[in-house]
Amino acid sequence: MVAVVGLYLATLLRDAVNIPLNDDFDSIFGFCIGYGQAETWTERLRLIFAQHNEHRIAFNNLVYLAEWRLLGHVNLVHTIWLGNLAIGLMIALFWSWLPRDLQRSPLAVLPLVALLLGFQAWESAAWAMAALSGYWVHLFALTAIGI
């Protein structure tokens, strides 16, 4: 299991770069520019919940806004790592759903770790908007199911 996690993290460390890709231009920088130019709080609120293609990416927008306010800019590498953090939280959530006797063995979650950290979704793993959108939506859905 350590090898799977290590390989994933090493690949992410290598591939996560602060270069926008595809929707990053509009969804991240377009949002920040529009938010900065908005004059009223209602206009800003509308921008946070505005539709982006067929999605509403309010969670993403709040993350971009928080980073922009805290650091003065949005670093896509931070966004990529934050997006991938949701995978670790999903693994922890699945582990918490296991019966107590299986929780003692890390091998019980090895198939899940291998599936979630596989490179079948490599585009999402190293793409700022996709990592933040996709992985957190899955975590939110799993959390809702587990409640």
Side-chain angles (χ1 to χ4, degrees), residues 77-146:
V77 174
H78 296 163
T79 309
I80 291 168
W81 281 99
L82 181 62
N84 280 276
L85 173 65
I87 296 174
L89 296 173
M90 280 189 273
I91 292 168
L93 186 63
F94 278 119
W95 179 81
S96 74
W97 291 345
L98 288 174
R100 293 280 180 225
D101 56 332
L102 287 177
Q103 286 182 357
R104 295 184 193 136
S105 172
L107 293 177
V109 292
L110 180 59
L112 176 69
V113 170
L115 285 173
L116 288 176
L117 297 181
F119 293 106
Q120 68 275 9
W122 66 269
E123 298 100 339
S124 294
W127 177 8
M129 182 198 169
L132 197 57
S133 298
Y135 295 142
W136 280 93
V137 165
H138 289 112
L139 178 64
F140 293 151
L142 289 172
T143 303
I145 291 169

Side-chain angles (χ1 to χ4, degrees), residues 5-28:
V5 173
L7 179 63
Y8 187 85
L9 293 176
T11 304
L12 194 59
L13 190 60
R14 183 193 71 206
D15 292 346
V17 293
N18 195 21
I19 299 172
L21 177 68
N22 299 331
D23 284 346
D24 290 346
F25 290 99
D26 183 45
S27 71
I28 299 172

Side-chain angles (χ1 to χ4, degrees), residues 52-73:
H52 176 75
N53 295 327
E54 66 275 7
H55 306 287
R56 296 200 185 272
I57 54 172
F59 176 75
N60 288 36
N61 291 339
L62 291 172
V63 170
Y64 307 146
L65 183 59
E67 186 166 7
W68 181 37
R69 292 292 187 192
L70 290 172
L71 303 177
H73 65 278

